[in-house]
Amino acid sequence: MSTDSPIAPLLTESQIAERVAALGRAISADYGDEELVLICVLKGSFVFAADLVRRITSPLRVEFFGVKSYGAETSSSGVVQITLDLAKPIDGRHVLIVEDIVDTGLTLSYLSEQLRARGPASLKVCALLHKPARMQRAVHIDYLGFTIEDVFVIGYGLDHAERHRNLPYIGVLSP
Ligand code: IMP
Ligand code: MG
């Protein structure tokens, strides 16, 4: 029994792995021996962050921050809700936000504001995907995996109505 919509592959496992390794090298080169606090933005970034940390050679701590901007819709509501706050203060720390995807930019700009107010020594952003077509808020991405068209993607941590996060590659959900 299957009522699932077809999934068209967009980025393969090996394409993703290669890009994640390159991002890890760039981050390691920039931070060197400086310790960073890598903030995994839940839920979508958990797979990306798990792979990325293993490609970073700089000393790091991992923290989780939960935000929710969508219901079961495929477009941002514009309302960002904190579902899990950081367990530790980040003042004086070098913070790297790890996001799965930047779409309208609303989530990331809200997140950056929230974290900047807590006085980190530095604040940078690493995003796996960017959909510039739907940008509403200009946000700076320091480390970017891929720029993609305006399509709704799933897999590698990304969901549609909480499903498909376990897909090992990134695909486009056909309506
Ligand atoms: P923004 O606030 O519109 O930039 O949306 C950011 C958040 O929406 C991301 O962290 C994702 O969780 C989710 N999102 C945006 N586009 C997609 C998509 O194509 N697939 C799955 N989730 C998405
Ligand atoms: Mg999501």
Side-chain angles (χ1 to χ4, degrees):
M1 174 205 89
S2 174
T3 53
D4 287 355
S5 314
I7 296 164
L10 183 69
L11 296 166
T12 65
E13 285 183 71
S14 60
Q15 282 176 307
I16 298 168
E18 217 172 277
R19 207 55 207 115
V20 171
L23 291 173
R25 283 193 296 271
I27 292 166
S28 306
D30 288 353
Y31 288 88
D33 293 332
E34 199 87 67
E35 185 179 85
L36 60 139
V37 177
L38 185 147
I39 297 183
C40 171
V41 183
L42 297 175
K43 297 178 191 167
S45 303
F46 80 106
V47 177
F48 174 42
D51 283 344
L52 183 66
V53 290
R54 285 176 285 178
R55 297 298 189 162
I56 298 175
T57 53
S58 306
L60 64 81
R61 297 175 185 220
V62 179
E63 294 292 334
F64 298 95
F65 198 70
V67 293
K68 195 177 172 176
S69 58
Y70 287 5
E73 307 303 318
T74 57
S75 66
S76 192
S77 63
V79 180
V80 181
Q81 195 189 325
I82 296 179
T83 56
L84 178 75
D85 204 345
L86 295 177
K88 293 219 175 78
I90 53 162
D91 55 289
R93 302 262 174 202
H94 294 289
V95 171
L96 179 66
I97 301 174
V98 174
E99 257 286 35
D100 51 356
I101 183 165
V102 179
D103 184 15
T104 61
L106 293 170
T107 305
L108 187 56
S109 66
Y110 173 82
L111 212 64
S112 304
E113 257 170 54
Q114 281 286 319
L115 298 180
R116 208 180 300 278
R118 301 182 189 192
S122 68
L123 184 64
K124 283 186 170 187
V125 174
C126 176
L128 180 65
L129 306 170
H130 183 210
K131 270 197 261 185
R134 307 195 340 129
M135 207 75 182
Q136 283 184 35
R137 208 60 65 79
V139 286
H140 182 73
I141 302 170
D142 299 278
Y143 307 97
L144 176 64
F146 304 91
T147 298
I148 62 166
E149 299 295 306
D150 186 12
V151 287
F152 195 82
V153 289
I154 45 137
Y156 198 69
L158 291 146
D159 75 305
H160 175 239
E162 295 301 327
R163 297 188 57 228
H164 308 294
R165 294 194 197 274
N166 54 325
L167 198 69
Y169 59 94
I170 292 172
V172 179
L173 200 61
S174 314

